[in-house]
Amino acid sequence: MADQQLMLSSSPHLVSKESVSRIMRSVLVALMPATVMGVYLFGFRALLIILICSGSAVAVEAVCQKVLGRAITVTDWSALVTGLLLALNLPPGSPWWMALLGSGLAIVVGKHIYGGLGSNPFNPALVARVVLLISFPVQMTTWWQPKASFFGMTDVVTTATPLGELKTHLMLNGTLDGFTMGGLIDPLIGNIGGCIGEVSVIALALGGIYLLIRKVISWHIPVAFFGTLFLATGLFWLLNPARFINPCFHLFTGGLFLGAIYMATDMVTTPMRRSGMLIFGVGCGLITFVIRVFGGYPEGVSCSIRLMNSATPLIARFTSP
């Protein structure tokens, strides 16, 4: 034993061909269908919000790294992904200063305050979105009718999201009598009110398929998220269809696809093992169900992911071999 040497080295011990920049480029490509649809549906104002969030996120990232004495790594595309995700989570009529503030919050509070990329316990874009929602509820819940206007603010038609209409109807009437769910074509193509990047299910699904093919994400969290929400809302719908709506309504409206595919799968803030991913997805689905069905707020995807992000260390310990 005396002649044996203990070799110590710093991680990583297993090296693959994957890199941060390659993964982030894949996410950017996957988000392009939803981004293009958002600009097409909501016009120039949506494009402006996307440019402000993306550009300011990259700028704030560089400034933070410079001030903190770290290597400037904006070329890894992670800040751009954060800015784009934040923009897609904002209403198309968001004021420019709110988009700028949100990007700063995402990079500073959601990322560098914990040590930078890889150390953040929460998804930075969701941190900014939740803070903005609490701080500016009017601006964050004012929705535009798709294709209402392309240039400026003239002839803009405000509307409510399908989940908002459902929540208001139930609060006023107590039952679904008189509420028209409508078909699934509108949410599939994006002909509904909502955030810039969450309205077109088809565009989001195409990007998700691309990420699965590229093996950037796995199916475990999205499928567990979708399945849990569908089963929970479906059970209550079967028990009392006069009070609870068809589960397909919950599946194809709101920010479920954007959250489940692009933010709940963030490899930094979610469990690494497949069993942990399934637990994470189930937890997101249950929390979203409780908030949407029994809470006062019509949507619950962002809050559910944030809460499950905080449970990730416990899930990781519980599922460790």
Side-chain angles (χ1 to χ4, degrees):
M1 298 293 292
D3 58 342
Q4 294 183 355
Q5 295 183 359
L6 180 63
M7 304 300 293
L8 299 177
S9 64
S10 176
S11 61
H13 304 289
L14 298 176
V15 182
S16 71
K17 295 180 180 179
E18 294 291 344
S19 65
V20 173
S21 58
R22 181 179 181 274
I23 292 172
M24 295 302 166
R25 286 197 302 268
S26 297
V27 175
L28 287 172
V29 172
L31 286 170
M32 283 303 103
T35 303
V36 171
M37 282 299 298
V39 174
Y40 170 73
L41 293 168
F42 297 110
F44 176 77
R45 186 58 176 270
L47 177 61
L48 181 62
I49 296 300
I50 291 171
L51 293 176
I52 291 175
C53 286
S54 302
S56 58
V58 173
V60 173
E61 171 101 324
V63 171
C64 284
Q65 292 176 332
K66 182 69 174 178
V67 171
L68 296 173
R70 300 169 183 164
I72 298 177
T73 59
V74 293
T75 54
D76 65 6
W77 306 98
S78 62
L80 184 60
V81 169
T82 297
L84 181 57
L85 279 174
L86 173 62
L88 298 182
N89 275 278
L90 294 179
S94 302
W96 65 268
W97 54 264
M98 196 170 76
L100 194 64
L101 175 62
S103 294
L105 289 170
I107 299 299
V108 177
V109 179
K111 187 176 180 181
H112 284 286
I113 198 173
Y114 298 104
L117 182 64
S119 302
N120 51 293
F122 306 105
N123 185 288
L126 285 182
V127 170
R129 187 184 192 281
V130 171
V131 172
L132 291 177
L133 181 61
I134 295 172
S135 304
F136 310 104
V138 175
Q139 291 88 343
M140 287 293 291
T141 55
T142 300
W143 315 106
W144 285 7
Q145 183 69 30
K147 300 188 71 173
S149 173
F150 191 81
F151 295 104
M153 295 291 292
T154 59
D155 301 326
V156 168
V157 179
T158 58
T159 186
T161 64
L163 288 171
E165 291 179 349
L166 172 65
K167 182 67 68 174
T168 301
H169 185 89
L170 288 174
M171 291 178 62
L172 294 176
N173 302 280
T175 67
L176 292 174
D177 293 340
F179 181 79
T180 303
M181 187 178 79
L184 297 179
I185 299 298
D186 286 341
L188 285 175
I189 63 176
N191 190 30
I192 56 174
C195 294
I196 294 172
E198 73 177 17
V199 292
S200 177
V201 169
I202 291 178
L204 293 167
L206 287 175
I209 293 172
Y210 173 80
L211 292 178
L212 287 171
I213 293 174
R214 298 278 291 178
K215 296 183 179 180
V216 174
I217 66 172
S218 67
W219 59 267
H220 300 79
I221 290 178
V223 170
F225 201 156
F226 293 143
T228 301
L229 182 61
F230 185 85
L231 291 175
T233 54
L235 176 62
F236 277 76
W237 173 62
L238 290 174
L239 293 175
N240 188 2
R243 177 66 176 78
F244 302 99
I245 203 163
N246 189 304
C248 291
F249 183 87
H250 285 281
L251 197 63
F252 294 108
T253 57
L256 180 61
F257 270 71
L258 180 60
I261 296 174
Y262 300 94
M263 289 181 286
T265 56
D266 179 10
M267 59 187 65
V268 175
T269 60
T270 54
M272 296 180 62
R273 297 185 61 83
R274 293 177 179 178
S275 56
M277 293 178 183
L278 291 173
I279 295 173
F280 186 94
V282 170
C284 288
L286 288 176
I287 296 172
T288 301
F289 161 72
V290 171
I291 294 175
R292 284 187 177 186
V293 176
F294 301 106
Y297 186 61
E299 180 60 280
V301 172
S302 297
C303 292
S304 70
I305 298 174
R306 278 288 311 277
L307 289 172
M308 290 307 297
N309 284 158
S310 64
T312 292
L314 296 177
I315 296 174
R317 175 173 293 186
F318 179 74
T319 56
S320 295

